Amino acid sequence: MHWLQRLTYAMLLLTLMCGGWLNSVEAAANTSPATVVELPQNVPGVVYGVTQDQQDFLWLAAEFEGLLRYDSQEYLRFMPPGPRRAVSFSQVVSDIHNQLWVGTWGNGLWRLDSQRKNWQHINSSLPTEARIQSLFLSQSQVLWIGTTDGLYKLNPDSLQAELWQPLAGQRIWQLTEQDDGTLWVATSKGLYRLPADPLAQGEWLQQAEFRDQEIRAIAVQGQHLFVGLRTHLYLLDLSRPDQVLHTGFGNPNTILAESASSWLLGSIDGLFRLNLSGGKLSTELLQSAVDIRKIFRDRRGQIWLTSRNNGLQMLPAPAIRPVEPTISTFLNPKQPHRLGPPSKTDTRWQALEKSLLQLHQGQWRELTFAAASPVAYVRDVVQFGAYTLAATDQGLFVLNNDNQFVPVALQISSKPLNIERMVIAADGALWLGLWQQGVYRIGAEAATQPVADWQAVQLQTDIQAQEGIVDIQTDAQQRLWLLSRQGKLYQGEADKITLRWQPDHQLATGYFQCMLPVQDSLWLCTDKGLIRLQQDLQTQTLLGHTEGLPDPRVIGITRTEQFVWVLTRNGVLSFSPDGSNLHLFAPRPGLDLSSAQLKGISPLDGDQVQLATSTGLWQLSQADMTAVPTSMQLHLTSMRLNRQLFHVADTNGSILLPEKVEELQLQFKLLTFQSHLRVQYFFRWQAEQRWTALGEHAVLTLSQLSPGQHRLEVMAQAGGQFVQTRPLLLQVPVPFWQRPLGIALISVSTALVLGLLYHLRTRRLQQRAATLDRLVAQRTAELELANQQLKLLSNTDSLTGLLNRRALYAAAALLQAQRSRSPSALTLVLMDIDHFKKINDLHGHDSGDAVLKAVAAYLKQRLRAQDLIARWGGEEFLLLMPQTDLQQASRLVEELRLGIRQLQIPILPVPLSATFGLSSVALQPDALEQAVKAADLALYQGKAQGRDQVVLASP
């Protein structure tokens, strides 16, 4: 028997050891060994360095917040292991292996691997307490480390730092590199040159302007070398070293080339632009009172600024210029104006409220309408032969010799004529599109006749009476197209108008505003997006938010030489005629697009457009637009597992999770760095065929994942592009006892144990009869105790120890049965803790649980023996008061309310309060439910009246 027992014990021990070893392996696979990841408490205010890694994330070296990753909306903090909260980070660069090199102020150099898991303190030949002023990664991937005590050259392979002896003891401010590999070093002693040849010796620049001077900033572009001192900024032409330009610009920190003749300069006094023109330098202030520390251009050309007082920001957008000459003298700054679309004959025209502005001899002049004509809106101005005509809501007007517009008396029965659109067709005829009055044509011969002889002919048309023509355009084939407000598209000929296209039932519910023929397409503006109709009028495409439109309500469209421009009140979109090369313009200070006018966009010379708003006319060029980025990257940016934050740098397509996953939250982000670019997210679970929309925020919350492998795919759509992640596999381990090895070991152990029990039972049955009887009795008692405990648990709330809802219903049923035999008063009370959600949000769920326990303990202490109390759900409690009418109950509950206000709960800075709703319980079978509803209404009445009160239900 002894050998069988020993074998059984050995098998059990082996089972436990195998299970524990496998679990430890899984736990180790899920442990990030070094990096501490957290959300920073504050938005960084002091940022010195910035770089961009291969995943397009921006990394910031912040003085107080440490090393931060920025994804265009959220910062994530990465800290090295150990007590390093006070480390001041000064610089950061990313190399070709996607590693981050991080410089600190007094803590030397650190390296963070490409997986963003392991930190390494670089202390080989580099002082561990080094104060790093600059980090520079050369074209040959050599890392140069500028400190307050000299320049070090780091070999990335051996991690050995070598001090460059000629610069020992010097403060190294900055480094820059020419195209040929020559390095220029700004030091506290002057300007130093390092040739590209590693065997060559460096040299000090001996020009008097730089000898023994502290050089604060340096930059090179081609043959231009900028050198910034405390009080002056110098420009050297390296091909002609004797020619030096300078300007009185002090305290520069950083310089970045913007173009061949302009540079951006950051100083402690703000952001400046330096221009080189005619051999002279001039500076322009772009932003004042900002201590700029670095100007950085990312891979898409976007320029970022880091500063000591304003953190990280994009380069401020330039102000939009008003169109010259300005019409501001004709506008009332205190009253919005309604500007009509501009027109061009042999001069420029701009409709303004009840008059017309004409550009005359370089200045605008105002022309009015005849006093008897109550013109409220001008649509178009055309030159019809020798006549200048204006289309208005009161009919057709002609300009007379006194520079006044007078009405044209057309022989048309409908009066007045509300002309929505007026154009001259390819054959010279004048077309008038009227609002709900049809379409009229005046032949080209009328341009040589007196106005009194004009004949306006209404064309035979399919246009219904209630339709209004909103736009008339001529395409490249000289065909005339007419668009109605309902979206019907007609083709006009000399004697008829034919319906050629109409929108389907979904688009027909919207409003159409304008159209534009471009090459073989017709673009139609609607309040549901932009429709592109192909030449066959059969193929249509609807462009909306996800295709790049700032707003689906399109109110204007025009064409310049290279681009199509689309106007909305949330921004402007431009693109090439084939639909590519998207650029966006977002509203900015100085230009309020919310007041943009209908059809308020028109072409100007030089691929520019004019925008009309209620405040004036503005000039917009492609340089003012932001390109919609291509090759955007979509990443899993963070993961919360059971409420703990993790960073996921590179999952290799798989994440190994622990066996118990209570809640898993995954956050994805498309890195656009353009807040005005609308992004829509979608996901697909377990290789489903269809995608499910997530909206504008890609946050997925999963709970109670079963063991096994789960497949997740996420896709983003922005600017007409689809960006998809590779499938992400979530691995939830199968418990040890469900694996083949575990099943085998448990089966063998079970068989051995059963055999041992059977052997012992047959050999010692009589000797252990009494022992077995006692054991049976003991287990029976334990079972009864367990059943009692189970019954108690099933009837009570686990947090407060009060009755739960099911137990209360059972007790209430007994009370109702007793009342049916002996009627008596019964009052029901619903109580709700005030502002409980705010307590949870401000102090955490643990604090909320403590409040619930304290309130429950108080209620149990103060209530009478016959009263029943239960936790009804969340922060609500329900009380049943037998043999107590409504007035008696209200006095008791009022005492409870005052007592709750006096509860001493250390975690709460203000007194706790509660609101009560009271209702009488009748004798009918459904009286309890009716009383709960009545008390609930009284409770919410109390909430609406300001909380912390007792409200009786209406009879």
Side-chain angles (χ1 to χ4, degrees), residues 383-397:
Q383 195 70 34
F384 187 49
Y387 300 105
T388 301
L389 303 178
T392 77
D393 62 327
Q394 296 298 313
L396 186 64
F397 287 76

mmCIF file of all heavy atoms in Angstrom, residues 383-397:
data_model
loop_
_atom_site.group_PDB
_atom_site.id
_atom_site.type_symbol
_atom_site.label_atom_id
_atom_site.label_comp_id
_atom_site.label_asym_id
_atom_site.label_seq_id
_atom_site.Cartn_x
_atom_site.Cartn_y
_atom_site.Cartn_z
ATOM 1 N N GLN A 383 -22.520 90.695 -70.569
ATOM 2 C CA GLN A 383 -22.430 91.672 -71.648
ATOM 3 C C GLN A 383 -23.095 91.067 -72.871
ATOM 4 O O GLN A 383 -22.600 90.108 -73.463
ATOM 5 C CB GLN A 383 -20.962 92.021 -71.931
ATOM 6 C CG GLN A 383 -20.779 93.266 -72.766
ATOM 7 C CD GLN A 383 -21.140 94.529 -72.005
ATOM 8 O OE1 GLN A 383 -20.932 94.613 -70.795
ATOM 9 N NE2 GLN A 383 -21.701 95.518 -72.708
ATOM 10 N N PHE A 384 -24.254 91.608 -73.257
ATOM 11 C CA PHE A 384 -25.050 91.105 -74.382
ATOM 12 C C PHE A 384 -24.963 92.139 -75.492
ATOM 13 O O PHE A 384 -25.714 93.132 -75.517
ATOM 14 C CB PHE A 384 -26.494 90.889 -73.930
ATOM 15 C CG PHE A 384 -27.385 90.218 -74.949
ATOM 16 C CD1 PHE A 384 -26.976 89.061 -75.591
ATOM 17 C CD2 PHE A 384 -28.634 90.748 -75.245
ATOM 18 C CE1 PHE A 384 -27.799 88.438 -76.513
ATOM 19 C CE2 PHE A 384 -29.465 90.124 -76.167
ATOM 20 C CZ PHE A 384 -29.049 88.964 -76.803
ATOM 21 N N GLY A 385 -23.998 91.941 -76.407
ATOM 22 C CA GLY A 385 -23.718 92.960 -77.398
ATOM 23 C C GLY A 385 -23.213 94.206 -76.714
ATOM 24 O O GLY A 385 -22.232 94.187 -75.963
ATOM 25 N N ALA A 386 -23.882 95.319 -76.968
ATOM 26 C CA ALA A 386 -23.498 96.578 -76.341
ATOM 27 C C ALA A 386 -24.196 96.801 -75.006
ATOM 28 O O ALA A 386 -23.969 97.816 -74.338
ATOM 29 C CB ALA A 386 -23.815 97.743 -77.281
ATOM 30 N N TYR A 387 -25.031 95.842 -74.610
ATOM 31 C CA TYR A 387 -25.825 96.004 -73.403
ATOM 32 C C TYR A 387 -25.165 95.286 -72.213
ATOM 33 O O TYR A 387 -24.729 94.143 -72.342
ATOM 34 C CB TYR A 387 -27.232 95.447 -73.593
ATOM 35 C CG TYR A 387 -28.013 96.122 -74.714
ATOM 36 C CD1 TYR A 387 -28.199 95.474 -75.935
ATOM 37 C CD2 TYR A 387 -28.557 97.387 -74.540
ATOM 38 C CE1 TYR A 387 -28.897 96.078 -76.958
ATOM 39 C CE2 TYR A 387 -29.270 97.998 -75.555
ATOM 40 C CZ TYR A 387 -29.441 97.352 -76.768
ATOM 41 O OH TYR A 387 -30.142 97.954 -77.783
ATOM 42 N N THR A 388 -25.133 95.976 -71.071
ATOM 43 C CA THR A 388 -24.730 95.350 -69.813
ATOM 44 C C THR A 388 -25.997 95.019 -69.042
ATOM 45 O O THR A 388 -26.749 95.927 -68.659
ATOM 46 C CB THR A 388 -23.834 96.289 -68.995
ATOM 47 O OG1 THR A 388 -22.669 96.609 -69.757
ATOM 48 C CG2 THR A 388 -23.416 95.625 -67.683
ATOM 49 N N LEU A 389 -26.245 93.731 -68.829
ATOM 50 C CA LEU A 389 -27.487 93.267 -68.234
ATOM 51 C C LEU A 389 -27.230 92.693 -66.849
ATOM 52 O O LEU A 389 -26.201 92.050 -66.604
ATOM 53 C CB LEU A 389 -28.137 92.193 -69.115
ATOM 54 C CG LEU A 389 -28.439 92.593 -70.571
ATOM 55 C CD1 LEU A 389 -29.022 91.406 -71.325
ATOM 56 C CD2 LEU A 389 -29.402 93.770 -70.618
ATOM 57 N N ALA A 390 -28.184 92.895 -65.957
ATOM 58 C CA ALA A 390 -28.125 92.348 -64.599
ATOM 59 C C ALA A 390 -29.383 91.535 -64.343
ATOM 60 O O ALA A 390 -30.498 92.019 -64.579
ATOM 61 C CB ALA A 390 -27.999 93.462 -63.558
ATOM 62 N N ALA A 391 -29.198 90.296 -63.868
ATOM 63 C CA ALA A 391 -30.323 89.429 -63.520
ATOM 64 C C ALA A 391 -30.574 89.532 -62.032
ATOM 65 O O ALA A 391 -29.661 89.347 -61.221
ATOM 66 C CB ALA A 391 -30.015 87.988 -63.907
ATOM 67 N N THR A 392 -31.825 89.807 -61.634
ATOM 68 C CA THR A 392 -32.160 90.009 -60.229
ATOM 69 C C THR A 392 -33.433 89.256 -59.890
ATOM 70 O O THR A 392 -34.073 88.643 -60.757
ATOM 71 C CB THR A 392 -32.370 91.506 -59.923
ATOM 72 O OG1 THR A 392 -33.663 91.911 -60.410
ATOM 73 C CG2 THR A 392 -31.291 92.362 -60.558
ATOM 74 N N ASP A 393 -33.804 89.348 -58.612
ATOM 75 C CA ASP A 393 -35.055 88.738 -58.187
ATOM 76 C C ASP A 393 -36.267 89.545 -58.632
ATOM 77 O O ASP A 393 -37.411 89.106 -58.449
ATOM 78 C CB ASP A 393 -35.065 88.589 -56.660
ATOM 79 C CG ASP A 393 -34.982 89.940 -55.960
ATOM 80 O OD1 ASP A 393 -34.325 90.857 -56.500
ATOM 81 O OD2 ASP A 393 -35.576 90.075 -54.883
ATOM 82 N N GLN A 394 -36.037 90.728 -59.224
ATOM 83 C CA GLN A 394 -37.130 91.558 -59.721
ATOM 84 C C GLN A 394 -37.107 91.691 -61.235
ATOM 85 O O GLN A 394 -37.749 92.586 -61.788
ATOM 86 C CB GLN A 394 -37.040 92.951 -59.085
ATOM 87 C CG GLN A 394 -37.239 92.965 -57.581
ATOM 88 C CD GLN A 394 -38.619 92.472 -57.183
ATOM 89 O OE1 GLN A 394 -39.627 92.888 -57.761
ATOM 90 N NE2 GLN A 394 -38.676 91.580 -56.204
ATOM 91 N N GLY A 395 -36.378 90.797 -61.901
ATOM 92 C CA GLY A 395 -36.373 90.796 -63.350
ATOM 93 C C GLY A 395 -35.037 91.181 -63.945
ATOM 94 O O GLY A 395 -33.992 91.153 -63.281
ATOM 95 N N LEU A 396 -35.091 91.559 -65.234
ATOM 96 C CA LEU A 396 -33.893 91.867 -66.002
ATOM 97 C C LEU A 396 -33.706 93.377 -66.051
ATOM 98 O O LEU A 396 -34.649 94.139 -66.291
ATOM 99 C CB LEU A 396 -34.034 91.296 -67.420
ATOM 100 C CG LEU A 396 -32.818 91.391 -68.332
ATOM 101 C CD1 LEU A 396 -31.659 90.573 -67.776
ATOM 102 C CD2 LEU A 396 -33.175 90.918 -69.743
ATOM 103 N N PHE A 397 -32.441 93.833 -65.846
ATOM 104 C CA PHE A 397 -32.127 95.258 -65.841
ATOM 105 C C PHE A 397 -30.981 95.512 -66.819
ATOM 106 O O PHE A 397 -30.132 94.646 -67.052
ATOM 107 C CB PHE A 397 -31.721 95.732 -64.446
ATOM 108 C CG PHE A 397 -32.865 95.819 -63.477
ATOM 109 C CD1 PHE A 397 -33.407 94.679 -62.907
ATOM 110 C CD2 PHE A 397 -33.410 97.050 -63.154
ATOM 111 C CE1 PHE A 397 -34.459 94.765 -62.017
ATOM 112 C CE2 PHE A 397 -34.470 97.154 -62.259
ATOM 113 C CZ PHE A 397 -35.003 96.006 -61.684
#
